[in-house]
Structure formats: structure tokens, C-alpha cells
Amino acid sequence: MTLVPTDPIALAQALIRCESVTPDEAGALTLLQNVLEPAGFTCHRLIFSEPGTPDVDNLYARLGSGRPHLSFAGHTDVVPVGNDAGWTVPPFAGEIRDGLLYGRGAVDMKGCIAAFVAAALKYIHHYGGLPRGSLSFLITGDEEGPSINGTAKMLDWLKARDEVVDACLVGEPSNPHALGDEIRIGRRGSLNAELVVHGKQGHSAYPQIADNPVPKLARMIDRLATAKLDGGTANFQPSNLQVTVISVPNTATNVIPGYAVAKLNIRYNDTWSRPTIETWVRNTAARAAAELDAKYDLTFSGTGDVFVTQPGRLVSTLKDAVKSVTGRVPALTTGGGTSDARFIKDICPVVEFGLVNSTIHQVDEHTSVADLKLLTDIYGRFISNYFTSG
């Protein structure tokens, strides 16, 4: 059967049938390239690598060379299927049952990519090209993985070519209950920390000649985890610190370990920046350690600083498109985890809008066929209004 690129359902099914679990491309990017090139897009396959990480295949496709330059960003990589036996349908079959399209990536986010491609091609066919400006796709294969060899490096590649993006829509599934509920205009920052408290290994019967790090670690993380970081801001919910891992290098019940480790994740709002939240954690840990006479190391990692896209042309154009198609006035929110918008916000205003996210990463991930069609209409209205306004 010949694939009709302007049919979002068929395109979503075809993408789902590519078993592109991070970092495998599995034909998904090739499929998109084969759809976009005949429509006039210039496509670049960008393979990036870094020692200790898998190579990642990415796709940049652009139609036009002028401004304004509107980009759609997304990812074809998906998380593993999990319990394969628990799926009602094969996870990579792209089957439709009772009006629902099932498959890994149906929501996050192959369905969203299919909807935007279909909307873009309908718009281009209607006008015989772009009336003005440029339209592009930034599609990575690394969003669900370490996010090292994907969007961040694609943006560096664009910068080296002096390509400017004026606005970007990321197709992350943003709606909690119904299409049109929310547009995400920002994200909290995400910071990881590892706290290692050092002691002295010994026999548990002779604690006087050992130094148990576990109680000291427990008191330090209690001090960190119970502190109130802030009360939230106009755009964000309160910041929070969560202890996610506690471990010791010991399986024997009669041995005091030599060290103990805790891993923390901090989600912070615009009260903070990456440097200021790190300073708060360092100072709080130092005060607790001084009281406990604890020796410790504290290290940080993380790739997402807090950001918010203020209402303007991009936000209003998308909001109007959502309302015109669904009748709903979407809330402007900043909830959820992280996405590749955390990289894109450094080059242009960025928002996120996609499908209903209630089944992402789950067994039997699915979206309704009706929602895919509605999303295509929303994206189509958004593209049209963006290029005819301003």
C-alpha cells in the first residue's frame, strides 16, 4: 500500500512500525526523509557521537531560506516496550482497535510528528510551496536517552551554519485529559546531585573503632529533603528536592560500611538558577555535615535550566489555533518533566503542544484516531496563522 503523507493516521502507523528504541533509528528517520524530500524539503542526516555514548542519527529538514523561520522539534526514538506479554496488541504493529491507535510511540511522540508532517504538507500543497519564510523539522533519535548526541548538537550545527530559528513548537504530549487542555510555555529546571558520606569500615560489634556513615547520610538528606525551597511563583509550582537512591557497598549485616551514597533530584522554578540552586544545596549540606562531623563529597549533573516563554506571537498564535479547532481555551502551564525544549529555549521562543499524555511510556500506549485528526487540524491552523500574521 502506498503511504499518503498527508494522512496522519497512516503516517503514524508507519512510524510506529519502526522499532526505534533509543538509540536505534530503525528506519523512522528514513521514512520521514522520504516523505519530506519530495515536498521540497532539503534534508540532512546528522550523526553525532561522543566517547562512551552511542552514535545517534538525527534529521534536519528545511523548506525555504527566508524568515520567519518556524521549526517543529520532535523525536522518533521511544522507550522500551516493558512487559511485552502485557500488551493487548503487538507494541510495534500500529494497530487500530475501536478507534484507538496502539503502539509504542503512538503518543510520545510519533503521532505528534505524523500530525505536524501531514499538516505541513497539506499547507504546502495548498499554496504550491511556502508563501514566505521557512519551515523546518528538527527530529532527534536521542530524546528518551542521554540527550547528548541529539538536539543539543543539532542546534550547534545550525549555529555553525548561521541558520536562525525564529520560533519552535515541540510536539511533546502536553494535554492531561483532553486535546486543548494545556500549552506548555516553560519547564522547571532539573538538577541531579550525588552525596557521598565517608566513614570507616569495621565490625558492627566494635563500632568504637569504626565510623558508620549511614546515620550521618540519613541526617544530611533529611535536612535537605525537608527544607522548603520556595512557595512557587506566578509561572511555576514550588521547587522540590527528592531523594531517589540510597546505597552502601555492603551486603553483610555485621559490617559497618566505609561509605554511603544518596542521589538527589531537584526540580526548581524561576526563583532559582542553576548556580543559585547548587549553592543552596552545597551550603545546606555543609551546615549539616559540620554539625555531624561528617566527611563528604557532593557532585552535580543535569542539563535543563528553568525557562519560560512569555506570551507573544508564538503563544497567542498557537492558543488561537487550539481554540478555533477544539473550542477550548488552553491553560498556559509549566508542569511535567524535561524535554528538548530545554535546549531550544536558548535559540528562540519555544512552546510544547501535542496529544493527551495519559498513556505515555505505559503498556498499551495509545491515542484516539479522532485526536490525531484534530491535532493535525490544530497544527495546520497554527502553521497558516503563523505565516500570515506578524
Side-chain angles (χ1 to χ4, degrees):
M1 181 181 295
T2 302
L3 177 64
V4 179
T6 53
D7 179 356
I9 312 305
L11 186 53
Q13 288 179 294
L15 286 169
I16 290 169
R17 288 166 187 156
C18 300
E19 300 186 23
S20 52
V21 176
T22 311
D24 293 332
E25 183 266 337
L29 296 178
T30 299
L31 172 64
L32 290 175
Q33 182 176 353
N34 290 339
V35 165
L36 293 171
E37 282 185 334
F41 284 83
T42 299
C43 293
H44 301 269
R45 294 293 283 275
L46 306 173
I47 300 176
F48 297 115
S49 61
E50 192 168 301
T53 64
D55 292 356
V56 174
D57 196 350
N58 306 278
L59 172 66
Y60 175 65
R62 179 170 177 170
L63 178 66
S65 57
R67 298 178 69 178
H69 178 185
L70 174 64
S71 187
F72 175 89
H75 61 91
T76 53
D77 64 314
V78 298
V79 297
V81 300
N83 177 20
D84 188 77
W87 284 74
T88 303
V89 298
F92 294 108
E95 289 188 21
I96 296 174
R97 294 189 180 182
D98 299 323
L100 301 176
L101 171 61
Y102 286 84
R104 177 59 80 225
V107 177
D108 189 16
M109 58 178 290
K110 291 179 176 180
C112 304
I113 293 173
F116 200 93
V117 169
L121 295 188
K122 287 178 182 178
Y123 179 78
I124 293 163
H125 291 166
H126 177 76
Y127 284 99
L130 285 180
R132 68 186 183 114
S134 302
L135 183 64
S136 69
F137 290 84
L138 277 164
I139 310 296
T140 183
D142 192 32
E143 199 272 348
E144 299 289 8
S147 297
I148 293 173
N149 295 318
T151 297
K153 289 188 176 178
M154 294 177 76
L155 297 178
D156 289 340
W157 181 85
L158 288 177
K159 183 178 180 180
R161 291 164 53 90
D162 294 323
E163 292 202 32
V164 177
V165 180
D166 294 298
C168 183
L169 188 154
V170 180
E172 285 291 340
S174 59
N175 295 285
H177 305 295
L179 204 64
D181 280 346
E182 297 182 8
I183 296 171
R184 289 192 178 142
I185 60 168
R187 295 277 188 154
R188 291 186 297 172
S190 179
L191 176 65
N192 297 317
E194 183 176 83
L195 175 62
V196 182
V197 175
H198 302 281
K200 182 180 179 182
Q201 184 173 323
H203 198 295
S204 60
Y206 305 99
Q208 68 276 12
I209 57 174
D211 182 12
N212 194 335
V214 176
K216 296 179 181 180
L217 176 68
R219 289 183 175 88
M220 290 181 71
I221 61 176
D222 178 67
R223 185 74 60 84
L224 288 162
T226 57
K228 181 179 179 180
L229 289 169
D230 55 67
T233 69
N235 291 309
F236 293 92
Q237 65 194 83
S239 304
N240 68 89
L241 182 150
Q242 298 298 320
V243 181
T244 56
V245 177
I246 299 176
S247 62
V248 295
N250 180 36
T251 57
T253 58
N254 61 347
V255 174
I256 293 171
Y259 65 90
V261 180
K263 294 186 178 182
L264 320 171
N265 180 255
I266 305 102
R267 300 296 170 117
Y268 59 95
N269 62 35
D270 53 355
T271 301
W272 309 88
S273 65
R274 171 70 179 267
T276 60
I277 195 68
E278 281 193 18
T279 297
W280 180 88
V281 175
R282 290 185 191 278
N283 291 344
T284 305
R287 287 193 297 269
E291 295 173 9
L292 299 166
D293 192 27
K295 298 179 177 65
Y296 72 98
D297 292 314
L298 180 62
T299 57
F300 296 96
S301 62
T303 57
D305 205 354
V306 60
F307 77 94
V308 62
T309 299
Q310 296 297 335
R313 179 185 174 195
L314 174 62
V315 174
S316 63
T317 302
L318 180 57
K319 189 175 181 179
D320 289 346
V322 172
K323 182 181 178 182
S324 67
V325 174
T326 67
R328 297 186 179 91
V329 179
L332 305 181
T333 68
T334 58
T338 58
S339 75
D340 279 353
R342 70 189 189 272
F343 304 119
I344 298 166
K345 54 87 177 173
D346 292 331
I347 68 164
C348 69
V350 57
V351 293
E352 301 174 48
F353 185 79
L355 291 162
V356 175
N357 59 25
S358 57
T359 65
I360 58 172
H361 294 196
Q362 296 182 15
V363 168
D364 275 350
E365 179 180 348
H366 63 269
T367 184
S368 75
V369 170
D371 275 0
L372 270 175
K373 293 178 179 178
L374 276 176
L375 183 62
T376 303
D377 291 342
I378 292 169
Y379 284 161
R381 187 67 60 89
F382 168 68
I383 294 168
S384 178
N385 290 350
Y386 183 84
F387 283 113
T388 57
S389 65

